[in-house]
Amino acid sequence: MGSKSKLISAVPGQISFTANMKVLLLFGLVAVALADIARFEGDQLLRLKPALDDHVMLIKELANSIQVDFWRPESPELVKVNSEVDIRVPAMYIDMVYTILQQNDMEHEVLIVNLQTAVDAQNDNKPSPRTHSYTKYNSWDKIQSWIASISSSNPGLISKQVIGSTYEGRPMTLLKLGKMSSSTKPAIFMDCGIHAREWISPAFCQWFVMEALSTYGTDAQMTSLLDQMDVFVLPVFNIDGYDYTHKTNRMWRKTRSRNSGSSCIGTDPNRNWNAGWCTVGASSNPCSDTFCGQTPESEIEVKNVADFIRRNKSIIKSYITVHSYSQLLLFPYSYTYDLAADHSELLKVAEGASVALNSLHGTRYTIGPGAATIYLAAGGSDDWAYDLGVKYSYTFELRDTGRYGFLLPESQIKPTCEETMLAVKYIAAYVQKNLY
């Protein structure tokens, strides 16, 4: 019996829409067309706990049969026995999915009862301020004007340069923090917002810039860092996608590039790097959220950043990329279970960084190489940077562990950024003392 028929026969009567549902669907579609912004009324975030191979198969069949959005892991291919699987189920499929889970005796819990309520509650139900704020999720327009003003606020300590444009033509402006010097200084490169819906990530890059500038001269560690090194910060990597999450679909992940031969838009920019490209944990299907792209660096955003790092590889000593969610501090490799040549040192630094992070609010992070700690995934930026010769290459997965997932409330921006600062400063101080 084929997988589709098995699912459908398991739930008699669930697949055929009632006349009422058709009317509701029609109204829904009209509402979406009018509002031009995706709504998630009645969608739920479920955590599934597959205990058997059959459960894993069932989740994969479900993903093939209906439109479910994988939050963690990032695609059905990455689901393993005894792992936790967070999926967003559209309202129209909820009853069907519950029936299937119960019939197959799969443990599950509801993390978010109504996704739209969680989307609305992200800003703690307060109106957005007209101006940029470090404790709000700022739109791209606000971030862009913030970049312009902050980069001219202290010419001796910060400058900006455009490293290229996005697919839709937006400038990718890189900030350079560090005391002006006539000689070339070693540097750290940090990016945020590779995945569009991970809003806490760009919030951290903005926070980092603010804190670096405001504590220089009073905080001994930050002063020493910026005197001796430069820190390149790309506040939003996937600008087109980020803008799209603010204006059209909060749950968008990929870039916004067109794919030849497909109506599906976008590539996963963290599967598009030339590091074991598209071999494991990535999809060659343009409609997948983990689509690896037509070729490595097919995405102009990836190529712009890769070109910049290649041009400056003699000075870049550390690469830090910030994602969410899961509270992880990962290092290479993700495309293979093989340990990195510098494994023990990378682990030691990660341990110190996670202890520093934990010291403020008690937030617990899991650390380790990507493949062994979560799953195999090829084409990631941290593996690519490490293979290029950037030894201290790290990926942060910020708060939380799934209570809110990508919809972390704005009230958590400050504590998240404060604790993450401690970890990043720990890594930076170590790199500064161990230049190579």
Side-chain angles (χ1 to χ4, degrees), residues 155-159 176 178-183 185 226-227 230:
L157 216 50
I158 185 169
S159 61
K176 177 182 170 185
K179 190 180 175 192
M180 286 298 204
S181 163
S182 51
S183 57
K185 294 155 72 184
L226 298 184
D227 281 347
D230 288 325

Side-chain angles (χ1 to χ4, degrees), residues 260-323:
S260 61
S262 173
S263 60
C264 292
I265 299 284
T267 287
D268 183 340
N270 209 36
R271 298 291 188 280
N272 192 234
W273 301 74
N274 200 358
W277 180 76
C278 221
T279 50
V280 284
S283 173
S284 51
N285 173 5
C287 301
S288 164
D289 257 349
T290 54
F291 177 48
C292 60
Q294 307 290 353
T295 55
E297 297 180 28
S298 61
E299 300 313 283
I300 186 66
E301 297 86 355
V302 172
K303 189 173 183 342
N304 289 339
V305 174
D307 282 346
F308 179 85
I309 294 175
R310 273 190 289 260
R311 279 198 307 275
N312 294 280
K313 76 172 197 174
S314 62
I315 61 161
I316 295 174
K317 304 300 175 186
S318 174
Y319 171 78
I320 296 170
T321 183
V322 183
H323 290 253

Side-chain angles (χ1 to χ4, degrees), residues 311-431:
R311 279 198 307 275
N312 294 280
K313 76 172 197 174
S314 62
I315 61 161
I316 295 174
K317 304 300 175 186
S318 174
Y319 171 78
I320 296 170
T321 183
V322 183
H323 290 253
S324 76
Y325 62 97
S326 285
Q327 292 170 201
L328 305 168
L329 179 49
L330 306 172
F331 49 87
Y333 284 109
S334 285
Y335 71 78
T336 173
Y337 284 114
D338 294 349
L339 297 184
D342 303 288
H343 174 81
S344 55
E345 189 183 5
L346 291 171
L347 179 63
K348 181 182 77 171
V349 176
E351 278 169 351
S354 69
V355 168
L357 188 150
N358 176 264
S359 70
L360 190 60
H361 300 295
T363 308
R364 301 177 83 90
Y365 265 57
T366 302
I367 58 169
T373 308
I374 44 171
Y375 41 69
L376 280 167
S381 62
D382 54 350
D383 283 359
W384 174 85
Y386 182 78
D387 281 347
L388 186 73
V390 181
K391 179 163 51 159
Y392 302 107
S393 183
Y394 288 98
T395 295
F396 279 86
E397 295 277 358
L398 302 184
R399 291 190 189 185
D400 56 9
T401 55
R403 167 68 185 84
Y404 297 102
F406 302 123
L407 301 175
L408 195 71
E410 285 181 332
S411 54
Q412 290 198 38
I413 295 176
K414 184 173 185 278
T416 301
C417 290
E418 287 172 339
E419 68 193 11
T420 309
M421 270 312 287
L422 299 179
V424 171
K425 282 172 77 176
Y426 181 92
I427 294 169
Y430 184 91
V431 172

Side-chain angles (χ1 to χ4, degrees), residues 117-142:
T117 309
V119 169
D120 296 337
Q122 256 211 293
N123 61 356
D124 304 300
N125 297 312
K126 295 185 187 117
S128 266
R130 286 210 177 85
T131 53
H132 176 276
S133 166
Y134 290 105
T135 53
K136 295 278 174 196
Y137 294 122
N138 299 296
S139 65
W140 170 243
D141 296 341
K142 284 183 191 150

Side-chain angles (χ1 to χ4, degrees), residues 194-268:
I194 279 189
H195 290 136
R197 62 187 177 185
E198 299 168 7
W199 283 8
I200 187 62
S201 167
F204 175 70
C205 268
Q206 293 162 70
W207 187 280
F208 179 89
V209 172
M210 174 270 290
E211 181 136 328
L213 294 179
S214 62
T215 62
Y216 179 83
T218 53
D219 179 274
Q221 192 190 335
M222 187 60 82
T223 307
S224 163
L225 176 68
L226 298 184
D227 281 347
Q228 291 178 29
M229 295 186 78
D230 288 325
V231 183
F232 292 108
V233 180
L234 185 62
V236 186
F237 186 114
N238 177 10
I239 303 168
D240 297 348
Y242 184 74
D243 193 58
Y244 191 75
T245 59
H246 276 264
K247 292 175 178 169
T248 308
N249 183 346
R250 176 65 185 84
M251 291 302 129
W252 189 258
R253 166 185 166 89
K254 300 190 284 182
T255 61
R256 294 294 302 160
S257 59
R258 305 214 166 268
N259 293 310
S260 61
S262 173
S263 60
C264 292
I265 299 284
T267 287
D268 183 340

